[in-house]
Amino acid sequence: KQEVTQIPAALSVPEGENLVLNCSFTDSAIYNLQWFRQDPGKGLTSLLLIQSSQREQTSGRLNASLDKSSGRSTLYIAASQPGDSATYLCAVRRLNDYKLSFGAGTTVTVRA
Amino acid sequence: DAMVIQNPRYQVTQFGKPVTLSCSQTLNHNVMYWYQQKSSQAPKLLFHYYDKDFNNEADTPDNFQSRRPNTSFCFLDIRSPGLGDAAMYLCATSRVLSGGENEKLFFGSGTQLSVL
């Protein structure tokens, strides 16, 4: 069974600081990994998807890296803004499977 | 805009009174998922459809049922809600086997279920 862990559970930083969010997974036989953002009481919005053959993906201020062999992914958010305050979840899809296993997320607060 | 729509946004039901949550999509995705999410926890997959093929998770209680009458719609039925079923219910869609960015999951805004 795939276990996905995100540490820390919560993070508070001043505006302008770079954010580093971690995700680890136990089974390296993955098809892809996705990072999501969730605002309080809302659904999830996909931020980045990394295929198992890729090392990283970038979108604007966001960059996600994947080290499949060590079972880790990192989401970097450059020059954080108060609007980046949300919970960030990672999810892993295994090979030959349509299901995603989610971490519990890291709740980020960016202080103005 | 193409999207995933869940209704209602908030649902209050009484202990033991059946309730149905709905999800529709205009993305023409072949897979639809139902997740249950409790506060500060990871979303938990209840079941998913690949086209019309229904796939139930082993630990999903029998109290939870689902229907997908066509590609666009999917329903979650809770036959006898208990207090422990109070949660956010999230519907998601994906076009699997298309490769790359097209395999992203798209979520609805969720239905927050309260059980009194």
Side-chain angles (χ1 to χ4, degrees):
Chain A
K1 182 184 176 184
Q2 179 74 274
E3 301 285 344
V4 182
T5 304
Q6 293 184 249
I7 295 173
L11 188 59
S12 178
V13 299
E15 182 176 4
E17 191 165 301
N18 296 332
L19 283 163
V20 180
L21 307 179
N22 299 304
C23 172
S24 61
F25 47 93
T26 54
D27 185 353
S28 62
I30 68 168
Y31 183 75
N32 63 35
L33 182 146
Q34 293 184 60
W35 281 94
F36 294 86
R37 169 182 171 139
Q38 186 174 30
D39 292 293
K42 300 287 180 65
L44 283 70
T45 300
S46 182
L47 297 173
L48 291 168
L49 180 150
I50 310 177
Q51 299 288 359
S52 62
S53 59
Q54 296 176 316
R55 300 282 293 189
E56 65 177 354
Q57 274 285 348
T58 298
S59 176
R61 293 185 295 113
L62 276 60
N63 174 275
S65 66
L66 174 64
D67 184 343
K68 200 172 61 170
S69 61
S70 66
R72 288 189 294 192
S73 177
T74 303
L75 178 66
Y76 300 90
I77 303 177
S80 61
Q81 304 167 0
D84 295 328
S85 298
T87 298
Y88 293 84
L89 297 93
C90 69
V92 175
R93 183 180 151 200
R94 290 189 297 184
L95 292 171
N96 303 315
D97 200 343
Y98 306 128
K99 302 181 293 187
L100 270 69
S101 299
F102 280 85
T106 295
T107 299
V108 171
T109 302
V110 180
R111 308 186 303 272
Chain B
D1 288 342
M3 57 178 60
V4 181
I5 301 168
Q6 291 188 244
N7 285 304
R9 183 73 181 85
Y10 300 94
Q11 176 72 58
V12 180
T13 191
Q14 293 179 337
F15 183 93
K17 185 175 181 181
V19 65
T20 295
L21 310 181
S22 72
C23 177
S24 64
Q25 57 131 340
T26 59
L27 297 160
N28 200 32
H29 283 171
N30 51 357
V31 185
M32 293 186 79
Y33 308 82
W34 279 106
Y35 284 89
Q36 178 193 64
Q37 187 181 29
K38 297 186 178 180
S39 182
S40 300
Q41 295 185 18
K44 176 182 180 299
L45 182 65
L46 296 174
F47 20 64
H48 74 280
Y49 285 89
Y50 180 81
D51 290 330
K52 292 186 177 182
D53 292 335
F54 175 72
N55 297 272
N56 196 31
E57 292 301 295
D59 57 355
T60 297
D62 292 340
N63 196 27
F64 291 83
Q65 304 286 321
S66 183
R67 297 168 282 137
R68 189 181 186 186
N70 54 52
T71 301
S72 301
F73 286 88
C74 195
F75 299 95
L76 170 61
D77 301 306
I78 309 176
R79 293 193 295 188
S80 182
L83 298 179
D85 297 327
M88 172 76 85
Y89 289 88
L90 297 164
C91 173
T93 71
S94 180
R95 175 166 286 285
V96 297
L97 302 182
S98 60
E101 290 287 298
N102 290 328
E103 299 215 16
K104 281 186 175 180
L105 239 64
F106 289 81
F107 279 83
S109 297
T111 294
Q112 183 66 51
L113 177 68
S114 299
V115 181
L116 304 179

